[in-house]
Amino acid sequence: MKVVVIGGTGLIGSKLVGKLNEHGHEAVAAAPNTGVNTLTGEGLAEVLEGASVVVDVSNSPSWEDDAVMNFFRTSTTNLLKAEAEAGVTHHVALSVVGTDRLQESGYFRAKQAQEDLIKESGMPYSIVRATQFFEFIKGIADISTDGDTVRLAPAKFQPMYSDDVAAAVGRTAVGSPVNGLVEVAGPDVFQLDELIRKTLAANNDPRTVVTDPQAPYSGAVLQETTLLPGPDAQIAKTKLSDWLAQQ
């Protein structure tokens, strides 16, 4: 089948396009650098011609509250309209585990708005909520840094390898629409502050990690289980220790 991957040149998108093509599907990467812009609608009608499935793994270039909300509202609205006109029969979107519990954050309010637009569109859909990627662990430290201090809550999280995220999204894309949520997570549960502390030490990073239950995560205060998936989540195979050994 023809599968159009919005955000198909990014970290997850490029891996997803490769996996789908390996399995005999016609996967097309769609992004501004391939002439497809979901904010303006440029190139959408052309790339969706003959497509059965659209997978949206795009992300906002800005995480400022208004900009990120505008991005997900506008791009999702344009995409769903173009899909209906093109006869697409399955819309798949990548979202984040805990989105509905992180609504103090402008970014996660925007992700929730994206999910709601999809649910209300009448289009058969599947929303894949993934936990944080291994590749973003350093980024979590960076956005939580003030001077030489990294403030993090002692919340639990269950990060996963981007390859496993792409595989889960791919399986969902070629399956029947679930018209609901699919959760995917890594195999091991860590405490956020402890893992970042160990990661920085292993990289000889001089920053000090301070445990602070009120430390915001993308603007939201975390409870112990905010970032954890539910009991029905699909559990990926790749352990963080194995991924680190490959780096």
Side-chain angles (χ1 to χ4, degrees):
M1 64 178 79
K2 180 179 176 181
V3 182
V4 174
V5 181
I6 306 296
T9 58
L11 174 66
I12 302 297
S14 55
K15 293 184 177 203
L16 176 58
V17 168
K19 289 177 187 296
L20 289 169
N21 283 330
E22 283 170 17
H23 285 86
H25 301 288
E26 180 195 351
V28 180
N33 58 5
T34 70
V36 180
N37 189 322
T38 53
L39 282 177
T40 64
E42 177 195 356
L44 267 183
E46 293 80 2
V47 79
L48 294 183
E49 198 171 318
S52 302
V53 182
V54 169
V55 183
D56 185 5
V57 295
S58 64
N59 209 348
S60 174
S62 168
W63 284 28
E64 188 273 323
D65 285 5
D66 291 342
V68 73
M69 181 63 80
N70 178 65
F71 175 85
F72 282 116
R73 279 193 183 283
T74 304
S75 62
T76 303
T77 299
N78 289 342
L79 197 50
L80 290 166
K81 181 175 181 287
E83 287 171 28
E85 292 169 354
V88 171
T89 55
H90 190 186
H91 179 95
V92 181
L94 178 60
S95 193
V96 187
V97 164
T99 288
D100 51 327
R101 301 187 291 270
L102 291 160
Q103 293 299 292
E104 291 172 274
S105 161
Y107 180 82
F108 289 102
R109 286 196 297 274
K111 288 300 288 183
Q112 187 66 59
Q114 176 192 27
E115 291 188 8
D116 291 344
L117 285 167
I118 294 165
K119 292 172 187 173
E120 295 160 7
S121 69
M123 171 73 66
Y125 74 92
S126 304
I127 295 170
V128 180
R129 282 185 175 178
T131 54
Q132 294 68 30
F133 310 159
F134 293 160
E135 288 87 347
F136 291 167
I137 289 173
K138 182 181 180 296
I140 293 172
D142 292 345
I143 64 170
S144 307
T145 295
D146 181 13
D148 291 326
T149 302
V150 186
R151 293 189 179 279
L152 290 162
K156 292 177 177 172
F157 81 137
Q158 206 166 326
M160 65 186 295
Y161 182 26
S162 60
D163 238 47
D164 293 337
V165 177
V169 174
R171 285 193 304 271
T172 305
V174 301
S176 299
V178 300
N179 294 313
L181 301 173
V182 176
E183 287 194 322
V184 294
D188 299 313
V189 178
F190 301 94
Q191 195 166 297
L192 186 59
D193 54 335
E194 286 181 1
L195 179 63
I196 301 294
R197 190 175 286 118
K198 288 177 181 175
T199 302
L200 295 182
N203 292 325
N204 297 314
D205 190 313
R207 286 178 287 179
T208 300
V209 175
V210 173
T211 302
D212 178 358
Q214 297 302 308
Y217 178 90
S218 273
V221 175
L222 299 177
Q223 304 302 314
E224 185 183 29
T225 58
T226 302
L227 302 177
L228 292 182
D232 297 327
Q234 299 174 13
I235 303 302
K237 292 181 179 176
T238 310
K239 289 177 166 287
L240 177 61
S241 55
D242 295 334
W243 178 76
L244 286 171
Q246 295 169 11
Q247 300 310 298

